[in-house]
Amino acid sequence: MGFLSRTSSVLVVIISCCLVGVALAGNFYEEFSLTWGGPRAQISNGGRQLSLSLDNTSGSGFESKKEYLFGKIDMQLKLVSGNSAGTVTAYYVLQLSSKGNKHDEIDFEFLGNLSGDPYILHTNVFSQGKGGREQQFYLWFDPTQDFHTYSIIWVPHHIVFLVDNTPIRVFQNSESIGVPFPKNQPMRIHSSLWNADNWATRGGLVKTDWSKAPFTAYYRGFNSIDFPNSSPSPSSKSFSDGNWEAKELDTKARRRVRWVQKNFMIYNYCADLKRFPQSLPPEC
């Protein structure tokens, strides 16, 4: 979960475990189970769309039936509109069988806000139970007006976070200098929408306005590509041309990461000298 001040409501999507090598357009009836929230979680349009709602009684959530280990996962989301303060939408991969102090997790979290104020996109990576690797961004569009695609590429040498196929963050495998990297434990995809007004918006100063409930987020366009091999793809194509297993981002992709981080990043744990006064984490 997040380190900085956040908005009050939370929508969470979790991805855990094994991807396979072929692109699969997902049907929510076939790919996911509604796990909590009763009628607040609904699949519609023949399995092509899913919605999660939050009211003053409960939030809601779902998880993938399959587990994944390495691949690319895409989900299109349309976030809670209007005054979403206190809510969090999270989309991440989570290793569930060891949820204790050794779990792995790859996070997208969308922190709600007051009407007119931007969402905060919060990212984090946990490995062997250690997280604290937060980067936060504003988005360059209104995520409540239409669906946008949020993707995770997870391969043994790095994890890439993408928004509408624009890479915004790369977390490198730094096991060579003693930093754990999630590569051994399959994971499931999870998502939930829940109330977090004790911390989510401005550190809990802004509370959820229940007169605006129910709060609803929408999902469609789930897609997964499994990467069954642990070595980088021999393809001559670059990352920007769709070679998602490439060991390094090409020049165009690196330029896009720099553009996002220069213009839209609002927090980077690797630059937080107050938090790490002695020395920054080794992967920084």
Side-chain angles (χ1 to χ4, degrees):
M1 295 305 191
F3 174 77
L4 299 184
S5 299
R6 304 176 185 177
T7 54
S8 315
S9 57
V10 176
L11 167 58
V12 179
V13 181
I14 307 173
I15 305 175
S16 343
C17 194
C18 306
L19 305 175
V20 182
V22 196
L24 300 173
N27 180 291
F28 283 103
Y29 283 121
E30 298 172 359
E31 300 285 348
F32 294 93
S33 298
L34 306 179
T35 50
W36 63 286
R40 297 169 189 83
Q42 296 187 2
I43 298 174
S44 59
N45 197 18
R48 293 187 291 274
Q49 184 165 298
L50 186 150
S51 64
L52 294 181
S53 292
L54 163 71
D55 58 32
N56 60 359
T57 301
S58 177
S60 51
F62 65 88
E63 71 176 21
S64 65
K65 296 179 180 179
K66 290 174 51 179
E67 291 186 326
Y68 299 87
L69 182 63
F70 305 133
K72 181 174 185 282
I73 296 175
D74 306 315
M75 187 78 80
Q76 294 181 7
L77 282 79
K78 184 178 179 182
L79 300 181
V80 174
S81 61
N83 183 357
S84 60
T87 68
V88 176
T89 302
Y91 157 57
Y92 53 99
V93 183
L94 176 65
Q95 193 278 330
L96 293 175
S97 63
S98 61
K99 276 202 259 185
N101 58 9
K102 295 295 184 181
H103 81 286
D104 295 341
E105 186 175 329
I106 305 168
D107 289 349
F108 271 116
E109 291 183 343
F110 303 88
L111 311 181
N113 219 325
L114 294 169
S115 298
D117 291 339
Y119 265 84
I120 293 174
L121 171 56
H122 176 92
T123 65
N124 201 356
V125 176
F126 288 76
S127 183
Q128 294 296 300
K130 178 176 173 54
R133 303 180 177 105
E134 303 91 348
Q135 290 184 358
Q136 294 186 334
F137 306 84
Y138 289 138
L139 295 167
W140 49 97
F141 53 83
D142 184 345
T144 72
Q145 295 300 303
D146 203 351
F147 286 90
H148 291 269
T149 302
Y150 303 91
S151 306
I152 293 170
I153 294 173
W154 175 29
V155 288
H157 42 278
H158 63 211
I159 295 163
V160 184
F161 297 78
L162 304 97
V163 177
D164 290 338
N165 273 337
T166 293
I168 65 168
R169 177 181 183 179
V170 181
F171 182 79
Q172 299 286 355
N173 184 332
S174 299
E175 289 178 303
S176 61
I177 57 173
V179 179
F181 186 86
K183 68 174 189 178
N184 298 315
Q185 303 183 110
M187 298 193 277
R188 293 185 191 273
I189 301 166
H190 293 249
S191 184
S192 59
L193 174 57
W194 46 287
N195 177 46
D197 67 3
N198 60 325
W199 57 263
T201 304
R202 301 180 187 176
L205 294 177
V206 181
K207 301 300 183 181
T208 303
D209 182 356
W210 293 112
S211 72
K212 301 293 192 294
F215 305 97
T216 303
Y218 300 91
Y219 301 75
R220 72 180 189 190
F222 170 70
N223 193 68
S224 66
I225 304 173
D226 295 347
F227 300 153
N229 301 314
S230 60
S231 57
S233 167
S235 170
S236 60
K237 294 197 305 181
S238 68
F239 182 92
S240 295
D241 291 328
N243 180 15
W244 308 119
E245 293 179 84
K247 190 171 179 62
E248 302 290 344
L249 272 63
D250 59 278
T251 300
K252 180 180 178 182
R254 291 196 299 270
R255 188 181 302 123
R256 295 298 287 172
V257 171
R258 289 195 297 271
W259 174 78
V260 171
Q261 296 193 351
K262 177 182 177 181
N263 293 287
F264 301 100
M265 178 183 281
I266 58 172
Y267 177 78
N268 181 4
Y269 78 108
C270 277
D272 194 341
L273 296 177
K274 290 184 179 180
R275 182 179 173 191
F276 304 107
Q278 302 302 318
S279 63
L280 293 171
E283 69 270 20
C284 296

